Amino acid sequence: MAIAEHPSAYPARRPDRLGAAIARQGTAFWVAAALLLLMPLLVSSFWLVQILAYAMILGMIALSLMFLAGYGGIVSLVQMTVAALAGYVVAIFGHSAITQISLGWPWWAAVIVAVLIATAFGTLSGALSVRTEGIYTIMITLAIASAFYYLTLQNYTVFNGFSGFNGITPPVFLGVDWGENIPFYYLVLGCSALACWAVVYVARAPFGLALQGTRDNPRRMAALGFDVTAHKIAAYAFASALAAFAGVLLVWYQRQISPGTGGVGPVVDILIIAVVGGLSRPIGPFIGALVYVLLRTFSLDLLEWVGLDGKRFQLLIGLGFLVIVLFSPDGLIGIWRRITERARRSREARAAQMRIGGDAPGGTP
Amino acid sequence: MGDFIARRPIWSFLIIVFAAILLWLVFAVWPPALEASLGRKRVFLSALFNGITLGALYFLVASGFTLIFGLMRNVNLAHGSLYLMGGYIGYSIGELTGSWLVALLIAFLVVAVVGILMQVLLFRWMEGQDLRQTLVTIGLSIIFADLLLWSYGGDTFQVTTPEWLSGPVELPFIVGLRSSGEAVMMNYPLVRIAILFGAIVVGIAMWLALNRTRVGMLVRAGVDDRDMLSATGVRVQLVFITVFAFGAGLAGLAGVVGGTFQSLQPGEDIKILLSSLVVVIVGGMGSIPGAAMGALIVGLAEQFGSVYMPTYAVMLTFVIMVAVLAIRPEGLAARR
């Protein structure tokens, strides 16, 4: 099912035609971008950070899965683990309240080390799981993810066991305290936009096209001289780097990290977010994450309003996920696309009818 | 067997040496030097037996999982939920009727019916779509987990061990010598030994059913080539439903068994699911002997790990999995 759209062939880019570049993205894109940029004026800080920023962070992790699944046909459950590992490394090498473990490096050094280590880990797990194919990957990555969870739970010398690390703060940089609500929102927004752009760019680059080739027909790609395994491992590396950056943001958002961050629940949640949003476009995971965070935050009120026990949040998530998987394999954006398609078609049909019927323009059919 | 020795003389030699050392460790009276380095023999023996009986439980769960995967290419991530469901049902029936065997039987039947419903209502309509089926099982496992939490709460339950299975039994293994020179024998819970025998009986019955009956022949043919089997006029759907019912029922039965010598609580479903995943990955997917081998390895690794390296017990299991993946990605018992 995880079939991403082939990026349509764009005409050769000419930097002097800015107007064309703006027009190419479509109105919806610019409206959304303006809305996101102006969001701090419109909503409270609760919505800004707890809902939007959190959704974008989860969206970035899910985006890394979308890249693997949509373009590479690899469904990996290890992305949340990569993010959690990056968060842990930030806590271990940077500052936290657990001073006997944390090394107290400057934040930028900790972040670089975190991204490197987490990317290496993600690539290694990828190398381990690409040796088997298809549906096996999901089992192996789930097993690796839970191994990491148990490691963090049982190891006290490095990961500080059950309690993990707390007191991790976002850095003060360029005279701005990035832990403040509005700077943090813009930081996350900027990173998400960058991540989205990176995914779109890589998908259109020769590497991305070759990756989509290996997804559609690995044997033919191998016959053409492409190294299928290497392409898949490289895809893991790219996706892991994305997830690692998101993990750094996640630990800054939570200001603490514990084994639960990379537990089996969150690991599966990322898959749910990506699938519910839709695996065919980079925007899908963000929509899925927004829906997930909204449901998670307001399910108590929602369920009690309907007259059910507010604790049945998981039931709601599970049922919603099942309905999406059963009826719309390409997620919420698939539903949206079908609706707009139908509207367009009925509009065209109406127009055609009018022409055939010879009605006066503007007359109701 | 002889073929194996001829093909891999070094490996066979190592296996034989290892088996000999193990036998010596089990039967001999340990000299003091060994006790000083490895700890008491009683601890070693109980870790060994606990590992084997835990492996028996894992085999019961994982054989259903591997059978369903082998035939239908369906990674049933709701298998752990079926286990927990069986355990809870067994607990309720056991409390109601007071009979352990009735609880075992009803848990098997009810969970088998749930399995049939899953196959008929859901998976039948998305045949050949591996990923979609797996996603559906994830959704189901979330729903089942929450429904079970809703009806049974977060408390820990234990299925009551029947009268005729409770209490320890003396095994013919010497754990040490008293100062008088009299041998101390090993005492071990009877219920665990019964479970081990049960699992062996189920394993042999499954092997016979797969290799000596017509249905088993159809299942094996289906594992090899599903499309060809249906082209020969076999009603494949019926075979699928049978296998799904049996695999699910086995998980439910294992739930009662696990609930008897371990405990039942939310979260147990994920633990069992992960164990079966590792068992099946280590053993080779879709193979019953592989499941038995993997279950034994994982059970032993968990128990010896928790005795000799307590902080990394669970990690040991995964290290084994990674090692197997690196050397033989298809699993130990996979056909080449």
Side-chain angles (χ1 to χ4, degrees), chain B residues 243-257:
Chain B
V243 168
F244 215 108
F246 183 72
L250 218 51
L253 182 132
V256 184
V257 168

Side-chain angles (χ1 to χ4, degrees), chain A residues 4-225:
Chain A
E5 286 206 327
H6 287 270
S8 45
Y10 283 100
R13 236 184 273 170
R14 271 179 242 151
D16 54 321
R17 294 183 59 187
L18 190 69
I22 291 176
R24 197 172 56 205
Q25 296 291 353
T27 341
F29 174 82
W30 292 108
V31 171
L35 210 61
L36 281 171
L37 280 173
L38 295 176
M39 208 45 106
L41 300 174
L42 302 174
V43 296
S44 67
S45 63
F46 168 78
W47 272 83
L48 209 57
V49 177
Q50 310 287 334
I51 305 280
L52 289 173
Y54 185 44
M56 283 192 280
I57 295 171
L58 288 183
M60 273 173 80
I61 304 173
L63 177 70
S64 76
L65 171 59
M66 178 265 143
F67 176 79
L68 280 177
Y71 299 120
I74 307 160
V75 180
S76 149
L77 284 173
V78 91
Q79 298 314 111
M80 186 70 207
T81 306
V82 171
L85 177 62
Y88 262 111
V89 177
V90 167
I92 291 166
F93 283 87
H95 294 273
S96 81
I98 315 294
T99 44
Q100 61 271 30
I101 297 179
S102 292
L103 299 175
W105 287 13
W107 67 270
W108 52 269
V111 167
I112 291 172
V113 173
V115 170
L116 286 180
I117 291 182
T119 306
F121 171 78
T123 314
L124 262 180
S125 348
L128 206 61
S129 53
V130 291
R131 299 191 52 174
T132 57
E133 56 184 307
I135 205 72
Y136 297 60
T137 312
I138 213 167
M139 299 165 71
I140 291 164
T141 50
L142 179 60
I144 293 174
S146 48
F148 178 78
Y149 166 70
Y150 284 116
L151 176 69
T152 53
L153 198 63
Q154 294 182 339
N155 181 303
Y156 278 84
T157 48
V158 178
F159 293 104
N160 202 28
F162 180 74
S163 46
F165 296 84
N166 55 8
I168 305 154
T169 47
V172 179
F173 177 56
L174 291 174
V176 181
D177 180 2
W178 295 97
E180 295 277 330
N181 289 331
I182 292 177
F184 187 72
Y185 171 77
Y186 279 117
L187 176 70
V188 173
L189 183 61
C191 289
S192 308
L194 214 62
C196 255
W197 173 82
V199 166
V200 171
Y201 180 83
V202 170
R204 280 183 205 154
F207 164 70
L209 294 176
L211 185 67
Q212 291 171 55
T214 63
R215 171 199 68 195
D216 294 337
N217 196 334
R219 292 181 66 180
R220 191 173 295 174
M221 288 305 279
L224 286 172

Side-chain angles (χ1 to χ4, degrees), chain A residues 75 131-132 135-136 139-140 142-143 146-147 150-151 154-155 268 271-272 312 314-315 319 321 325-326, chain B residues 73 126 131-132 134-135 138-139 142-143 146 150 271 274 277 285 311-312 314-315 318 321 325-326 329:
Chain A
V75 180
R131 299 191 52 174
T132 57
I135 205 72
Y136 297 60
M139 299 165 71
I140 291 164
L142 179 60
S146 48
Y150 284 116
L151 176 69
Q154 294 182 339
N155 181 303
V268 172
L271 178 67
I272 291 178
R312 300 276 74 85
Q314 285 293 340
L315 197 63
L319 280 175
F321 178 65
V325 171
L326 288 178
Chain B
R73 300 277 124 187
M126 43 186 86
L131 180 62
R132 199 156 165 218
T134 308
L135 292 177
I138 290 179
I142 295 171
I143 292 170
D146 205 55
W150 196 354
K271 248 161 95 183
L274 290 174
L277 277 185
M285 315 199 197
T311 39
Y312 296 104
V314 190
M315 283 304 294
F318 289 103
M321 184 195 85
L325 275 179

